[in-house]
Amino acid sequence: MPFSKNQMDPDPPEDSPSNSTNSEGANAPQSPFPDEVLEKVLSFIDSHKDRSSVSLVRKDWYNAERWTRAKLFIGNCYAVSPEIVARRFPRIKSVILKGKPRFSDFNMLPRDWGANVHSWLVVFAKVYPFLEELRLKRMFVTDESLELLAKSFPGFKALSLLSCDGFSGNGLKAIVSHCRNLTELDIQDCVTEDFAGDWLSSFPENFASLEILNFASLNSEVSFDDLERLVSQCKSLRVLKVNESITLDLLQRLLMHASQLTELGTGSFSQELTPRQYEEIERAFSNCKNLQVLSGLWEASSLYLPLIYGACAGLTFLNLSDVALQSGEFAKLLAYCPNLRRLWVTDTVEDKGLEAVGSTCPLLEELRVFPADPYDRDQRDGVTEVGFLAVSRGCRKLHYVLYFCRRMTNAAVVTIVRNCPNFTHFRLCIMNPREPDYLTNGPMDEGFGAVAKTCTKLKRLSISGLLTDLTFEYIGKYAKNLETLSVAFAGSSDRGMQYVLEGCPKLRKLEIRDCPFGNAALLSGRGKYEMMRSLWMSSCAVTIKGCRLLAKEKPGLNVEVISEEENDESQADKVYVYRSVAGPRRDAPPFVITF
Amino acid sequence: MSPPLLGVEGQSQCNVSFMASSASEDYISQNGLGLKERNYLGLSDCSSVDSSAVSSVAEENKNNLNLKATELRLGLPGSQSPERESDFSLLSSVKLDEKQLFPLVPSKDGICSLPQKNIVSGNKRGFADTVDGFSESKATMFTEGNWIFNAAGSGSDSGQPKLSGNVLSNRSSGTQSDIKAEAPVKATQKCDNKTNGSNTNSAPAAKAQVVGWPPIRSFRKNTLSTTSKNNEEVDGKPGPGALFVKVSMDGAPYLRKVDLRTYSTYQELSSALEKMFSCFIIGQCGSQGAPGREMLSESKLKDLLHGSEYVLTYEDKDGDWMLVGDVPWGMFIASCKRLKIMKGSDAIGLAPRAVEKSKNRN
């Protein structure tokens, strides 16, 4: 396998790791400095992209790099195998491992699709006894795996599970009771069945090393006494995010022990309070002088929001996506947060609320607006182009936006990117598929075209609304830094997809659903997919035959199909294409066709 | 296909009499219980309903019986405006299977509504129609005073935005296990006559739901609210906001459940409970010697309800029985574990004044 340019995953290895002095022939120039020096210098390089580049320079650099790499980043667990990784990198202490394609977040993949972490842990247990950190995203993690993890690495410090599933409280119990040096337990957005909360009580008696604890998305009731003891003992605790079972009065007691927190996720924020309790809680919040990140606030109402005012002066990230605020109380709260850089809200704040954002948050860099009523049950308005415009006028530093709305216009989008040309992430979701421009009733081509053209730093783009091939032509022509593109219900013909494949040199992830792109479009990217992490196509016009052809032409790609039927002419419902040095995966469930 | 009926055996006359309604003029002009037949799901009438239910209602009213609406269904939340009839038949032509009864169509879920701009009567689809039917006739039929409780500081209720249902943010209501259940309907039916938040009077087109769209994450399924675990949502999993509590009534043969989060004021709750339990009051008129159920005139019903001495109480977190209405709404729903409709005489220990009040009405 040749070395490829932009890859994020570990390079395919040479036949066997060899010493620079042995493998270089007489013609190769000697290295100007000894290996030890090179290794020492390289040990300062952290970024895996840089390390990838380093390893491509020459063989001795490749070797020096592999011996000094301590952090592993694997963007697609199926792109490489644990054995290959273990062979190349002997001294790993920290691993980031990502599994399922992103659309699995939206229930587009059956539960047992794969990405089971267990086989990785078995190899790591043998090869990396000094492993300290494991960060998993969209992986399937069983209790058995967590137990293996807990028992195999005596120095284990940090576990982070993002969008994972498959485990229960028993697995957490194992981690918590065996990992004596645990500093981080961070569980976010995980799909978990109801399970008992006694895992928290399994921390050893005098345990004091925790710095990060996040169990906000777990629905188990934990023993408050044990939690309080834990928090009071862990003097270095800086991140605490509790779940809804912790009420305001209990939270106050925790805050008494942990006023040094920099990140706080509250529990349930609605409770009968006596005036005395109210005061105490207010004081507890005011004592948190170091707070930078605040989230949770479930069921917070205008009655109780003022409790947090005293803690907001230093806030840089306010996450209100779990609470349905109205514009009035939201605006009042914003007045206390002059330093906001990141803001997540629900669209119950409406355009009026976003106008308040525009006028009070000049430092804002990231805005995410989530829909309170995504399935349109209550016919609520949410936000429109008006709110987005207001934000763009007031927040000139905005570079990341995720915006769910029900109507938008080309004119607004054009103005927005003129106001904020520095977008790196532009994710606009007009929730009704194929929704036209609200004013002109035409396609949203010009709006997204303006985004591609004006935002030269654009790395990530999600498009929506009524879109023809013209949008893709614009993207292919202008979005030269684009790395991730998400497309739904858009395009008129194969040309659309082809424009993007031909035009975007840095494209790494392309995910498409419900578009009229067929085999011709799929195959036109045959030379490109090996330079990308992955391609996802679902409910498009691709057939099994097209997938088979692609797989045949490109042995370096894994082409996987989920489909109702298996004959050549039938539509391939879900297509997942990714480069891999590990060959077709052997753990594919029966409903996944691998070629 | 006949829809399942909840407690068919126990189906008493009650169901029929109060659950049906119509928004039409007929309603009032007829004998107070003019019931309009509705073909709710585009399904044919279930004959079993005819036989058991009819006996309780006047012969004259029989042809106005809304049989579908009177069926107690294992409730998926839905309070629909009467105009929805047409929407449902539209939908039924799209897919007609068991899933119809637990429609993926986002109907007017009681659960999912945030600040109520109209009265949501509760989450059982069976009597959803009553909402609209009663909105005009409400003033004449069921007045606030029927349920005796203190409507404490109505001002404190109004400002509360209720986060209901699973509607929040990055939560989709679909779950992985439901993938197979959700038929991937590609086309969405656009609603042209969207009105702003007014659930009752608009006729929004039933939107077919598309799998995985909008792209919202579904990582949070269950909430800690113990009662919500019993809640089957449209999409299969309860949302973070549902707060179901049992409602019992002295003398009623079975209990009901309401989702407190679908209401934002005591007023709404009381109206909903009135509607839910009025049948038991009507049922008692027979035993009190009223001339049977034949001619339940509007005025007669009014008398009955005015004369009722019912008090609404609740059990709070500490296990104490309290009178509903003393504390701000938000506090109430935070501490309410179950509701009970007591006879005024039983409620003496709770609020002597309240009982006085009821006596004075007569």
Side-chain angles (χ1 to χ4, degrees):
Chain A
M1 282 287 297
F3 293 128
S4 37
K5 301 274 169 76
N6 280 325
Q7 58 186 26
M8 315 295 294
D9 310 284
D11 287 315
E14 296 279 284
D15 290 327
S16 55
S18 46
N19 226 321
S20 51
T21 47
N22 293 343
S23 56
E24 315 267 295
N27 297 329
Q30 283 291 15
S31 174
F33 28 76
D35 289 341
E36 297 82 23
V37 175
L38 184 56
E39 285 180 16
K40 182 71 184 169
V41 169
L42 292 182
S43 66
F44 291 108
I45 298 182
D46 242 7
S47 138
H48 59 270
K49 287 188 203 177
D50 290 342
R51 282 190 158 267
S52 220
S53 310
V54 160
S55 68
L56 297 176
V57 172
R58 34 188 278 164
K59 228 173 210 138
D60 54 350
W61 283 53
Y62 175 88
N63 282 322
E65 193 280 310
R66 58 179 276 265
W67 280 97
T68 56
R69 194 185 289 214
K71 289 193 190 152
L72 209 51
F73 175 87
I74 300 170
N76 176 2
C77 65
Y78 286 121
V80 71
S81 74
E83 291 79 17
I84 293 173
V85 166
R87 257 205 310 272
R88 179 174 169 185
F89 299 108
R91 291 194 196 150
I92 296 297
K93 286 202 173 158
S94 157
V95 176
I96 299 176
L97 189 53
K98 301 187 183 180
K100 304 181 201 177
R102 193 177 79 97
F103 277 7
S104 70
D105 282 350
F106 318 127
N107 303 324
M108 299 191 72
L109 280 183
R111 191 165 182 257
D112 46 351
W113 176 86
N116 192 330
V117 75
H118 201 76
S119 55
W120 289 88
L121 288 174
V122 166
V123 170
F124 290 165
K126 279 191 222 120
V127 180
Y128 305 135
F130 302 114
L131 189 70
E132 291 178 358
E133 296 182 3
L134 185 63
R135 299 176 194 284
L136 304 178
K137 183 170 183 180
R138 293 196 195 100
M139 299 285 297
F140 187 75
V141 183
T142 59
D143 287 343
E144 196 195 341
S145 299
L146 290 176
E147 277 157 27
L148 178 61
L149 174 64
K151 294 179 183 155
S152 309
F153 310 104
F156 193 76
K157 287 191 184 162
L159 178 63
S160 161
L161 302 175
L162 176 56
S163 295
C164 296
D165 65 324
F167 62 95
S168 80
N170 290 331
L172 293 183
K173 235 195 257 188
I175 297 283
V176 149
S177 43
H178 287 98
C179 301
R180 301 278 153 161
N181 298 308
L182 200 66
T183 59
E184 175 177 344
L185 182 61
D186 184 0
I187 303 175
Q188 274 187 64
D189 300 1
C190 288
V191 177
T192 52
E193 297 302 312
D194 235 347
F195 61 69
D198 58 346
W199 59 270
L200 190 116
S201 307
S202 301
F203 276 101
E205 191 67 35
N206 295 318
F207 188 85
S209 52
L210 214 54
E211 296 170 24
I212 297 174
L213 178 62
N214 176 2
F215 63 96
S217 63
L218 296 181
N219 56 18
S220 48
E221 286 208 29
V222 297
S223 150
F224 179 74
D225 287 339
D226 291 334
L227 177 61
E228 193 179 15
R229 185 170 43 87
L230 185 66
V231 170
S232 61
Q233 282 171 193
C234 297
K235 305 286 181 205
S236 307
L237 192 69
R238 48 186 173 82
V239 175
L240 177 63
K241 297 183 184 175
V242 300
N243 66 12
E244 260 186 297
S245 72
I246 305 299
T247 52
L248 269 175
D249 57 333
L250 298 179
L251 183 68
Q252 184 257 340
R253 284 162 62 180
L254 293 177
L255 290 179
M256 299 288 279
H257 299 292
S259 55
Q260 77 281 4
L261 287 178
T262 58
E263 296 188 25
L264 172 66
T266 74
S268 156
F269 221 76
S270 152
Q271 188 184 359
E272 282 185 53
L273 293 176
T274 65
R276 165 106 188 270
Q277 279 177 312
Y278 193 98
E279 262 180 49
E280 282 177 351
I281 295 170
E282 203 174 25
R283 208 177 317 128
F285 273 106
S286 304
N287 276 340
C288 296
K289 307 268 182 223
N290 299 321
L291 218 52
Q292 290 166 17
V293 176
L294 185 60
S295 60
L297 301 168
W298 284 290
E299 294 143 48
S301 65
S302 46
L303 212 59
Y304 297 118
L305 272 181
L307 286 168
I308 63 172
Y309 289 170
C312 291
L315 273 193
T316 56
F317 177 20
L318 180 58
N319 179 354
L320 299 170
S321 61
D322 286 318
V323 55
L325 294 186
Q326 306 296 298
S327 57
E329 55 205 356
F330 176 56
K332 273 201 215 142
L333 173 58
L334 281 182
Y336 289 90
C337 311
N339 289 309
L340 276 189
R341 283 171 178 53
R342 298 174 68 196
L343 176 62
W344 295 14
V345 288
T346 45
D347 65 358
T348 49
V349 303
E350 294 182 347
D351 290 331
K352 198 139 175 277
L354 293 181
E355 279 161 18
V357 173
S359 48
T360 36
C361 306
L363 301 176
L364 199 68
E365 295 172 20
E366 173 180 329
L367 174 69
R368 301 195 196 197
V369 182
F370 296 98
D373 175 25
Y375 306 106
D376 211 14
R377 274 179 254 255
D378 303 323
Q379 306 284 297
R380 304 188 59 78
D381 290 329
V383 294
T384 70
E385 77 279 4
V386 172
F388 200 169
L389 273 166
V391 174
S392 74
R393 272 184 233 115
C395 309
R396 297 299 168 124
K397 296 194 172 182
L398 199 63
H399 70 84
Y400 191 121
V401 77
L402 169 60
Y403 199 82
F404 284 87
C405 59
R406 292 210 161 78
R407 72 171 213 219
M408 188 52 58
T409 66
N410 285 303
V413 177
V414 169
T415 310
I416 286 162
V417 295
R418 197 184 311 133
N419 291 340
C420 302
N422 296 316
F423 275 113
T424 54
H425 297 68
F426 193 92
R427 303 165 63 187
L428 176 58
C429 181
I430 305 166
M431 287 189 275
N432 218 7
R434 303 191 189 89
E435 179 83 13
D437 178 318
Y438 179 71
L439 287 177
T440 69
N441 230 27
M444 289 294 299
D445 295 336
E446 293 308 315
F448 284 105
V451 175
K453 195 169 178 193
T454 319
C455 304
T456 51
K457 302 183 202 158
L458 195 68
K459 293 201 299 190
R460 182 169 181 185
L461 178 64
S462 301
I463 60 180
S464 58
L466 181 65
L467 299 169
T468 70
D469 286 346
L470 184 55
T471 302
F472 299 98
E473 197 180 344
Y474 284 139
I475 293 173
K477 191 167 174 195
Y478 297 114
K480 295 303 176 187
N481 283 315
L482 192 65
E483 298 180 17
T484 305
L485 179 63
S486 307
V487 184
F489 304 102
S492 342
S493 74
D494 285 336
R495 278 308 289 149
M497 186 168 165
Q498 284 164 349
Y499 283 130
V500 170
L501 291 170
E502 287 158 16
C504 299
K506 295 198 182 170
L507 196 65
R508 294 190 299 114
K509 286 180 277 186
L510 180 56
E511 41 186 38
I512 302 172
R513 64 165 291 173
D514 293 274
C515 296
F517 305 142
N519 292 339
L522 173 70
L523 291 164
S524 71
R526 55 167 75 74
K528 182 137 182 139
Y529 302 134
E530 269 167 337
M531 314 270 276
M532 293 168 52
R533 182 181 298 175
S534 64
L535 165 73
W536 168 280
M537 287 179 79
S538 60
S539 305
C540 296
V542 175
T543 66
I544 304 253
K545 184 171 182 191
C547 299
R548 194 191 303 279
L549 268 171
L550 179 64
K552 198 161 172 213
E553 281 184 45
K554 290 284 164 187
L557 293 178
N558 281 359
V559 180
E560 297 181 9
V561 173
I562 299 176
S563 175
E564 303 270 298
E565 293 141 40
E566 280 201 38
N567 55 66
D568 262 13
E569 303 313 315
S570 49
Q571 188 203 16
D573 295 327
K574 297 178 171 122
V575 180
Y576 185 44
V577 178
Y578 57 92
R579 67 181 173 190
S580 174
V581 295
R585 60 180 175 119
R586 273 163 294 212
D587 66 348
F591 54 82
V592 173
I593 308 166
T594 57
F595 295 101
Chain B
M1 166 177 151
S2 70
L5 303 173
L6 175 66
V8 170
E9 311 79 44
Q11 194 170 30
S12 64
Q13 309 99 333
C14 303
N15 306 345
V16 176
S17 57
F18 82 91
M19 285 221 249
S21 81
S22 90
S24 68
E25 306 276 305
D26 296 322
Y27 188 97
I28 312 291
S29 62
Q30 238 143 69
N31 308 325
L33 272 179
L35 304 170
K36 201 160 186 183
E37 187 161 348
R38 271 182 205 296
N39 195 353
Y40 224 56
L41 294 174
L43 303 170
S44 53
D45 287 346
C46 173
S47 55
S48 64
V49 179
D50 286 357
S51 50
S52 62
V54 162
S55 56
S56 64
V57 186
E59 256 60 34
E60 300 92 282
N61 291 341
K62 185 175 170 184
N63 45 356
N64 292 327
L65 216 56
N66 183 351
L67 299 174
K68 281 293 148 295
T70 63
E71 285 156 13
L72 267 180
R73 295 212 175 84
L74 187 56
L76 276 215
S79 62
Q80 294 94 359
S81 56
E83 292 90 330
R84 285 206 138 250
E85 163 187 54
S86 57
D87 301 325
F88 271 87
S89 10
L90 177 66
L91 186 67
S92 69
S93 61
V94 172
K95 45 179 178 151
L96 188 68
D97 54 6
E98 298 91 65
K99 299 295 167 243
Q100 278 292 66
L101 303 170
F102 299 81
L104 301 174
V105 173
S107 55
K108 294 288 151 267
D109 263 356
I111 278 191
C112 296
S113 42
L114 290 173
Q116 303 291 315
K117 296 186 184 155
N118 54 278
I119 290 164
V120 175
S121 70
N123 299 322
K124 304 296 185 203
R125 211 146 43 80
F127 59 86
D129 283 347
T130 61
V131 180
D132 304 291
F134 286 168
S135 54
E136 291 93 1
S137 58
K138 187 179 181 314
T140 54
M141 298 288 293
F142 300 109
T143 61
E144 297 117 24
N146 286 323
W147 299 108
I148 299 156
F149 64 84
N150 304 327
S154 55
S156 64
D157 307 341
S158 48
Q160 303 250 16
K162 286 297 163 289
L163 176 62
S164 320
N166 68 335
V167 293
L168 255 215
S169 62
N170 34 6
R171 281 178 247 325
S172 97
S173 42
T175 67
Q176 302 211 314
S177 59
D178 285 345
I179 275 199
K180 308 244 176 350
E182 287 184 350
V185 180
K186 306 284 161 72
T188 52
Q189 300 154 20
K190 252 184 78 171
C191 166
D192 290 318
N193 53 344
K194 263 188 220 183
T195 60
N196 293 343
S198 163
N199 291 351
T200 42
N201 301 318
S202 66
K207 277 221 166 78
Q209 206 168 352
V210 180
V211 174
W213 189 264
I216 311 273
R217 278 197 194 178
S218 60
F219 59 88
R220 210 154 73 122
K221 304 282 159 58
N222 302 313
T223 70
L224 296 169
S225 174
T226 49
T227 48
S228 75
K229 281 177 194 152
N230 300 325
N231 171 26
E232 280 281 16
E233 255 240 12
V234 177
D235 312 282
K237 290 287 180 173
L243 185 58
F244 275 84
V245 295
K246 288 186 192 169
V247 187
S248 60
M249 176 166 167
D250 292 342
Y254 51 82
L255 280 63
R256 301 296 301 273
K257 263 201 169 165
V258 292
D259 176 6
L260 290 180
R261 293 215 201 279
T262 60
Y263 316 111
S264 51
T265 64
Y266 285 117
Q267 197 41 56
E268 290 168 16
L269 175 63
S270 95
S271 316
L273 291 177
E274 280 172 42
K275 284 157 204 159
M276 219 187 250
F277 285 92
S278 60
C279 67
F280 298 116
I281 307 168
I282 292 168
Q284 296 189 8
C285 76
S287 62
Q288 284 163 19
R293 279 168 198 80
E294 283 94 28
M295 302 294 266
L296 269 179
S297 67
E298 177 194 322
S299 52
K300 198 138 212 124
L301 201 48
K302 221 201 301 190
D303 289 346
L304 220 45
L305 291 162
H306 274 297
S308 70
E309 296 179 356
Y310 288 98
V311 176
L312 188 56
T313 64
Y314 72 103
E315 184 183 10
D316 72 356
K317 280 191 176 133
D318 303 320
D320 299 320
W321 284 95
M322 320 278 288
L323 193 66
V324 167
D326 287 335
V327 298
W329 177 259
M331 275 187 202
F332 165 65
I333 64 171
S335 57
C336 172
K337 287 295 160 218
R338 49 191 303 186
L339 288 162
K340 188 168 180 184
I341 302 167
M342 285 180 170
K343 284 215 167 66
S345 44
D346 295 339
I348 283 178
L350 286 176
R353 239 188 60 223
V355 178
E356 287 308 323
K357 253 202 233 170
S358 78
K359 288 194 181 140
N360 292 336
R361 276 183 208 283
N362 299 339

